[in-house]
Amino acid sequence: MTRPTKRALVTGITGQDGSYLAEFLLDKGYEVHGLVRRSSTFGTQRIEHLYRDIHEVERPLVLHHGDMADGNGLARLIREIRPDEVYNLAAQSHVRVSFDQPTYTADVTAVGVLRLLEAIRDLQDAAGYQIRFYQASSSEMFGKVAETPQRETTPFHPRSPYGVAKLYAHWITVNYRESYGLHVSCGILFNHESPRRGETFVTRKITRAATRIKLGLQSKLYLGNLDARRDWGFAGDYVEAMWLMLQQDTPDDYVVATDATFSVREFCEQAFGRLGLDYRDFVAIDQRYFRPAEVDLLLGCSDKARGQLGWQPRVSFPELVTLMVDADLELARREQVLRDAGLNSILPLR
Ligand code: NAP
Ligand code: F7E
């Protein structure tokens, strides 16, 4: 086994992006440490394949219990691991949920970042040891957009407790760079999806439902605002941009996007269309899925990331829909087999 060249700590490693980033860093030869929340059930489905590999080929992946709400625990971990790079992906990341849990969202998604930055600053002061830090900022910070497309210089106007929490996290990261000379960068990422996307985000909700409808496992799909427009990319492409930011000599902030926008309705059309179905026959509107304040339109301009990082997305919108539908069709087929065998109660989540 080749000796790992660098050590990274990934918070949110059990999430969509965390799982792709862990894969990416392991392939680059990193020793990867992940922060995992304690829960009464296993929450590590998205990284199980990386864990399984450990027993076959030696894969330097180590998981640690911790929580963004626990500053002492985070500081102790940073001291013990002494990572070269920290990728902060942990967050209460659901916009609709943030309206129901605003205080929790602020604690984890906003103040959690401050806890990590303080731990990094303390270690840098005590040991003269530089840790590079990535903050997962969000296009939700643009909210009620001041201009289109949105770029690094576009003024922010968040429209949800999540967006406001991300804005605090963004500015405190910038502040620690300016105040203490930390090597910290923010990726202002527009929506990015994959077959590993959480099932309550709209794209995955649509591809799960469309494929289950196709196989007769479900009859209707209830959605909210079909006219919202998003700049949707593939998560696997976006984690490379995170890594590229930390390889720069100078820390900075970058918009990461495909620079194309589509509506939720267009996503439905394409997803159901891939299965030979007309979405209008199956989609119904449920007011519960509308938000108290909506972000109507997001469209990124990623010229800076493309020019300075040499990054570009590889997966287009139609390719993204196709790969998600095809993966969920396979999942639905397995679900159908289990159902036919009378094993509904032990259906695997993924
Ligand atoms: P995700 O799938 O929801 O993953 C979030 C991760 O954070 C999970 O590993 C989750 O752990 C962890 N987490 C939540 N609360 C925590 C806590 N209190 N302590 C420790 N860990 C906690 O999100 P994602 O789509 O991968 O996004 C990654 C990051 O990018 C998030 O910060 C998100 O806000 C941000 N972002 C996402 C997008 C996007 O389109 N995906 C765009 C811009 C920015 P569990 O598995 O235990 O729940
Ligand atoms: O909603 C509309 C909804 O929940 C997209 C997070 O990763 O990206 C994500 O936030 C749009 C919204 O993502 C339903 O109103 C309609 O306009 O998939 P979403 P989001 O809110 O854009 C940003 C960049 C992040 O940073 C976040 O962490 O779809 N919509 N009907 C619906 N949305 C959901 N979830 N469910 C519906 O039934």
Side-chain angles (χ1 to χ4, degrees):
M1 182 197 154
T2 50
R3 203 180 145 70
T5 48
K6 281 189 186 167
R7 204 175 298 145
L9 169 64
V10 180
T11 73
I13 195 167
T14 54
Q16 171 189 255
D17 292 6
S19 67
Y20 283 107
L21 181 64
E23 265 171 31
F24 180 88
L25 294 173
L26 287 168
D27 285 348
K28 289 234 169 274
Y30 276 67
E31 178 181 307
V32 177
H33 293 255
L35 185 79
V36 179
R37 294 198 276 179
R38 192 269 158 184
S39 115
S40 67
T41 55
F42 286 117
T44 48
Q45 295 93 333
R46 292 187 179 102
I47 51 170
E48 254 161 29
H49 60 296
L50 300 176
Y51 241 86
R52 268 202 302 274
D53 282 358
I54 290 176
H55 304 294
E56 287 149 26
V57 262
E58 265 187 84
R59 299 272 265 179
L61 172 63
V62 187
L63 300 184
H64 307 263
H65 275 127
D67 199 296
M68 295 301 287
D70 176 11
N72 292 338
L74 293 174
R76 190 168 49 247
L77 266 186
I78 298 271
R79 278 198 308 274
E80 283 172 8
I81 299 168
R82 290 193 162 233
D84 300 288
E85 297 171 5
V86 173
Y87 295 86
N88 180 40
L89 309 184
Q92 190 303 92
S93 74
H94 203 283
V95 173
R96 180 66 192 82
V97 169
S98 78
F99 287 99
D100 300 329
Q101 298 189 294
T103 313
Y104 176 75
T105 302
D107 191 25
V108 169
T109 305
V111 183
V113 182
L114 177 59
R115 296 183 180 108
L116 269 180
L117 288 168
E118 277 288 274
I120 290 170
R121 178 184 157 210
D122 284 349
L123 188 59
Q124 185 157 307
D125 285 351
Y129 171 77
Q130 198 187 49
I131 296 174
R132 296 187 175 197
F133 178 82
Y134 172 83
Q135 169 55 20
S137 289
S138 167
S139 54
E140 280 295 301
M141 301 186 311
F142 295 123
K144 192 170 180 349
V145 298
E147 63 178 0
T148 297
Q150 296 86 48
R151 56 189 89 232
E152 292 79 5
T153 50
T154 301
F156 298 120
H157 184 152
R159 295 273 279 172
S160 63
Y162 169 81
V164 174
K166 279 288 178 188
L167 192 51
Y168 173 86
H170 181 82
W171 280 124
I172 199 68
T173 304
V174 172
N175 180 256
Y176 270 51
R177 180 167 72 216
E178 293 174 353
S179 303
Y180 308 116
L182 300 189
H183 192 296
V184 296
S185 296
C186 300
I188 308 174
L189 269 54
F190 282 61
N191 298 53
H192 46 280
E193 319 292 313
S194 74
R196 298 183 200 169
R197 185 58 143 152
E199 294 189 23
T200 59
F201 295 97
V202 78
T203 56
R204 188 77 201 292
K205 185 172 169 183
I206 295 167
T207 58
R208 272 294 273 153
T211 51
R212 295 184 84 245
I213 287 169
K214 177 74 181 171
L215 298 190
L217 295 163
Q218 178 174 338
S219 55
K220 279 263 175 234
L221 166 61
Y222 293 94
L223 293 173
N225 180 9
L226 299 186
D227 296 317
R229 301 184 72 85
R230 291 290 182 274
D231 180 329
W232 277 298
F234 172 55
D237 288 345
Y238 285 34
V239 297
E240 186 192 6
M242 300 174 187
W243 176 77
L244 283 168
M245 285 177 218
L246 297 203
Q247 309 318 305
Q248 308 304 304
D249 291 338
T250 310
D252 206 345
D253 308 320
Y254 299 87
V255 160
V256 177
T258 67
D259 305 353
T261 187
F262 296 89
S263 66
V264 173
R265 188 185 306 282
E266 285 167 311
F267 195 102
C268 287
E269 262 165 24
Q270 296 233 5
F272 281 84
R274 170 85 184 153
L275 298 160
L277 303 174
D278 185 334
Y279 83 95
R280 289 170 297 187
D281 296 333
F282 305 101
V283 171
I285 301 302
D286 186 329
Q287 294 300 322
R288 279 183 307 162
Y289 297 116
F290 284 78
R291 294 161 184 193
E294 175 65 289
V295 173
D296 296 319
L297 162 73
L298 289 174
L299 171 61
C301 170
S302 57
D303 286 355
K304 183 175 170 185
R306 291 172 197 244
Q308 291 186 26
L309 303 177
W311 175 84
Q312 60 175 24
R314 294 187 179 86
V315 178
S316 67
F317 178 75
E319 288 166 346
L320 174 67
V321 179
T322 298
L323 80 86
M324 290 180 71
V325 169
D326 291 359
D328 274 334
L329 189 58
E330 185 50 40
L331 192 60
R333 285 199 181 109
R334 280 191 266 148
E335 190 178 339
Q336 193 180 39
V337 169
L338 288 171
R339 190 197 62 170
D340 292 349
L343 296 172
N344 303 38
S345 59
I346 57 161
L347 288 179
L349 286 173
R350 263 206 66 76

